Amino acid sequence: MEKVRVRFAPSPTGFLHLGGARTALYNYLFSKKSNGTFILRIEDTDQTRSTEKAIKQIIEDLRWLGLNWDEGPDVGGSYGPYRQTERIELYQKYAQELLKKKSAYYCYCTSFELTDLREKARKEKISFRYNRRCRFLSEEEKRKCQKENPKPAIRFAAPLEGVTIVKDLIRGGIRFFNRELDDFIIIRSDGTPTYNFAATIDDYLMKITHIIRGDDHLSNTPKQIQIYKALNLPLPQFAHLSMILGPDKKPLSKRHGATALFEYRESGYLPEAMVNYLALLGWAYDDRTTFFTKDELIEKFSLEKVSKNPAVFDINKLDWMNGHYLRKLSVSEFTKLGKDYLLKRGYLTQSQKGDLVWLEKLMALIQERVKILKEIPEWVDFLFNSDVKFELQALEKVLKKAEARELFSKAYQKLEVLSHWGKDEIEKNLRGLCQEMNLSPKKVFQPIRLVITGKTVSPPLFESLELLGKEKTLERIRQALEEIS
Ligand code: GLU
Ligand code: ZN
């Protein structure tokens, strides 16, 4: 059996999107499962749109997900270079071979002429296809054209009839009429290759056995198959992944929220959660299992179980899943990650920054509740903001003003007397207050929560007071008393 070799081949024209990340992941899982090789290839031949920055970002994002490649631009390998702009001569060589075989030809049409043709097609509401003018030029006409346009492009001479069948591992056979294929450009007049040609030559030279990519490329596959045929090269296998849709069943886009992977990283999603979630976006092991470690995915993944139907992106499920992975962290791991989000908000004083015990207490308090790390400052802002505001209305929903006044002054006394400021002592004294005033815990704790945190929902109350400290707690109760007097 030939060794499995797959590739992820991004065009570095922008950020890595969720769809691209999923394609990379499926390639990675498939290669690891089959003890194969995973290759990163940068398709940067469109030099007007490719940037170094995008290459760096894509590499960073893939590394963050933990999808490490065996061959690629930064790690090398025996089939390099792995950036298409460094392989230009190779494409030239195969283009020459196609020319020799009359499976390609020089096209002398100028961009003006082509624009005219395109315009005409648009007016007639038909899809543009090159009219093959230069395919059938006589030798003499060619010489004349060559003089007028010494920098011709090279076009593929597509078969004019018959069908090309794409045998797709996920969707079975798909027929394409060759007359629809178009004599597409393989080498531009500036000498650079186009995507369909460069990708095909590279997939061959890099000995790619399985091409797993988004189904937005399905219409390119018959073109690529025709190139393999013209050059007499062995065909790889193909698997096209269905689209990812938003909840409204339209293709996932900015309208649905963040689509770039780095936005998820920055918001505080964990790579483990992202990998798990993306794996399920178009693949399922069975109808029960939701959580998979990367190793479990490698063990269980198969193309047979990849769905033909589009997957629907559900941010709520991702958030829920991320919460699960956050809860699985140790408190110290969670603290390490969460701390950054407090710092970004400007929340930690110099002494708090260094007080690991205090910080871990704080993080332990909210770890169960947080779904995305960026929510952390919201949960604990009452510890850092000096002017915590509460709504009188919210207070009056629980207690009448007069009762609240009595509650706060008694609570003040109960707390003021504490010589050791710990959650157990705080709890004991405040529970004592419930009995004394003959009020339910809710009627005592909820108003206190409100004036301390400004919110009706907060981390556990006694721990919150402990973290806030005696002085500030008393101060807030005093202020509340003033406000309702
Ligand atoms: N460079 C192409 C893209 O980013 C890759 C297509 C392929 O995998 O063949 O869409
Ligand atoms: Zn032409």
Side-chain angles (χ1 to χ4, degrees):
M1 265 262 297
E2 128 196 83
K3 193 168 183 224
V4 164
R5 291 176 58 83
V6 296
R7 84 307 195 269
F8 178 55
S11 304
T13 55
F15 298 118
L16 181 65
H17 288 265
L18 293 177
R22 182 193 59 171
T23 300
L25 174 63
Y26 284 16
N27 274 286
Y28 171 87
L29 295 175
F30 183 74
S31 74
K32 293 294 149 201
K33 161 114 194 186
S34 8
N35 273 319
T37 304
F38 178 46
I39 295 153
L40 176 65
R41 181 172 78 220
I42 302 292
E43 303 208 321
D44 58 348
T45 57
D46 183 349
Q47 277 153 323
T48 52
R49 294 172 62 222
S50 301
T51 65
E52 284 306 311
K53 194 172 152 224
I55 296 178
K56 240 186 91 201
Q57 279 254 3
I58 290 168
I59 287 186
E60 217 175 280
D61 283 343
L62 293 172
R63 290 245 183 262
W64 175 71
L65 282 179
L67 308 183
N68 297 322
W69 42 98
D70 308 296
E71 299 173 20
D74 51 343
V75 299
S78 327
Y79 297 85
Y82 294 91
R83 278 175 71 149
Q84 290 188 325
T85 44
E86 293 168 17
R87 303 170 61 82
I88 299 296
E89 303 92 75
L90 292 168
Y91 311 125
Q92 297 284 358
K93 181 183 141 209
Y94 285 94
Q96 289 305 321
E97 195 174 326
L98 284 175
L99 283 168
K100 228 178 278 155
K101 291 184 163 169
K102 302 257 180 284
S103 292
Y105 59 90
Y106 286 110
C107 171
Y108 302 96
C109 299
T110 62
S111 56
F112 295 113
E113 287 166 314
L114 293 172
T115 308
D116 271 358
L117 287 176
R118 220 170 259 128
E119 190 57 21
K120 213 172 124 215
R122 199 182 57 84
K123 278 199 189 121
E124 288 169 17
K125 294 200 164 58
I126 49 173
S127 63
F128 168 73
R129 212 169 295 137
Y130 172 59
N131 63 9
R132 301 194 159 108
R133 188 195 71 146
C134 302
R135 180 158 169 178
F136 305 106
L137 296 178
S138 67
E139 288 306 313
E140 196 185 323
E141 284 168 318
K142 276 188 208 164
R143 271 193 294 278
K144 194 168 152 259
C145 289
Q146 177 73 33
K147 254 187 221 137
E148 281 163 22
N149 181 1
K151 287 182 103 186
I154 302 175
R155 285 187 186 270
F156 184 66
L160 300 173
E161 51 193 26
V163 292
T164 304
I165 296 176
V166 176
K167 287 194 204 123
D168 188 276
L169 292 170
I170 297 167
R171 352 173 141 221
I174 307 153
R175 285 156 58 98
F176 291 87
F177 289 106
N178 291 340
R179 61 170 188 271
E180 310 273 330
L181 287 186
D182 195 11
D183 284 0
F184 54 94
I185 291 180
I186 57 174
I187 303 278
R188 300 183 189 95
S189 60
D190 66 2
T192 60
T194 55
Y195 156 69
N196 275 310
F197 189 54
T200 303
I201 299 305
D202 285 349
D203 287 334
Y204 162 64
L205 290 174
M206 294 181 181
K207 293 205 163 61
I208 302 301
T209 56
H210 297 75
I211 294 180
I212 305 168
R213 63 184 167 205
D215 70 359
D216 48 330
H217 286 290
L218 189 53
S219 62
N220 286 320
T221 305
K223 298 182 184 177
Q224 299 179 9
I225 288 179
Q226 286 304 331
I227 298 175
Y228 284 101
K229 289 201 168 149
L231 287 167
N232 234 326
L233 306 175
L235 279 184
Q237 296 198 267
F238 293 95
H240 290 89
L241 308 174
S242 291
M243 280 211 260
I244 302 178
L245 305 179
D248 57 358
K249 308 285 150 71
K250 301 226 170 83
L252 191 64
S253 77
K254 212 65 209 161
R255 284 178 299 125
H256 300 108
T259 53
L261 191 72
F262 87 93
E263 295 174 272
Y264 289 87
R265 166 160 43 128
E266 290 188 347
S267 302
Y269 291 84
L270 295 178
E272 295 80 1
M274 252 9 247
V275 161
N276 193 158
Y277 183 75
L278 287 173
L280 295 179
L281 218 45
W283 171 85
Y285 179 62
D286 53 27
D287 52 12
R288 291 180 302 277
T289 324
T290 309
F291 293 109
F292 297 88
T293 63
K294 198 157 71 178
D295 286 340
E296 286 165 347
L297 286 172
I298 290 171
E299 190 198 314
K300 303 211 153 82
F301 184 80
S302 69
L303 288 174
E304 287 81 57
K305 289 191 171 170
V306 171
S307 170
K308 284 199 241 300
N309 304 320
V312 177
F313 180 72
D314 177 356
I315 187 75
N316 295 320
K317 183 169 173 192
L318 171 60
D319 289 358
W320 166 81
M321 189 170 265
N322 200 56
H324 167 88
Y325 280 95
L326 286 176
R327 287 192 292 280
K328 287 211 326 198
L329 297 176
S330 69
V331 175
S332 90
E333 286 169 322
F334 182 72
T335 302
K336 223 157 83 210
L337 293 172
K339 193 176 163 187
D340 281 345
Y341 290 81
L342 293 177
L343 288 171
K344 256 184 247 163
R345 193 66 74 90
Y347 272 176
L348 296 178
T349 64
Q350 207 53 39
S351 68
Q352 285 168 339
K353 258 182 237 178
D355 191 347
L356 204 59
V357 176
W358 183 82
L359 262 177
E360 287 194 354
K361 257 191 203 169
L362 180 161
M363 292 292 179
L365 221 52
I366 54 173
Q367 187 170 2
E368 288 288 314
R369 294 167 165 74
V370 170
K371 292 207 189 85
I372 316 166
L373 293 170
K374 74 163 182 200
E375 294 165 358
I376 289 178
E378 229 79 54
W379 278 105
V380 295
D381 55 0
F382 68 95
L383 294 172
F384 305 97
N385 291 338
S386 46
D387 59 335
V388 168
K389 298 238 173 355
F390 68 93
E391 283 180 19
L392 213 51
Q393 259 180 329
L395 176 65
E396 285 176 327
K397 262 197 198 137
V398 197
L399 274 187
K400 287 201 201 69
K401 246 189 186 177
E403 277 178 309
R405 213 174 297 140
E406 190 189 344
L407 169 69
F408 289 144
S409 57
K410 289 208 163 129
Y412 189 94
Q413 290 162 15
K414 286 267 177 213
L415 294 172
E416 196 191 19
V417 295
L418 286 178
S419 55
H420 178 252
W421 189 254
K423 65 175 170 26
D424 295 337
E425 293 85 346
I426 295 170
E427 175 167 7
K428 189 167 154 256
N429 280 15
L430 290 182
R431 285 203 189 275
L433 196 55
C434 298
Q435 282 185 333
E436 261 174 50
M437 293 185 68
N438 202 14
L439 287 174
S440 68
K442 189 184 164 206
K443 292 205 165 203
V444 171
F445 301 154
Q446 199 59 359
I448 296 177
R449 180 191 314 282
L450 193 66
V451 302
I452 296 294
T453 68
K455 293 178 191 148
T456 51
V457 181
S458 79
L461 184 62
F462 314 121
E463 285 91 337
S464 294
L465 296 190
E466 179 189 317
L467 285 169
L468 183 63
K470 185 173 179 181
E471 203 180 313
K472 285 189 186 158
T473 301
L474 292 176
E475 164 81 23
R476 272 180 208 175
I477 296 177
R478 192 166 50 231
Q479 272 173 3
L481 265 172
E482 263 167 40
E483 235 161 279
I484 55 172
S485 293

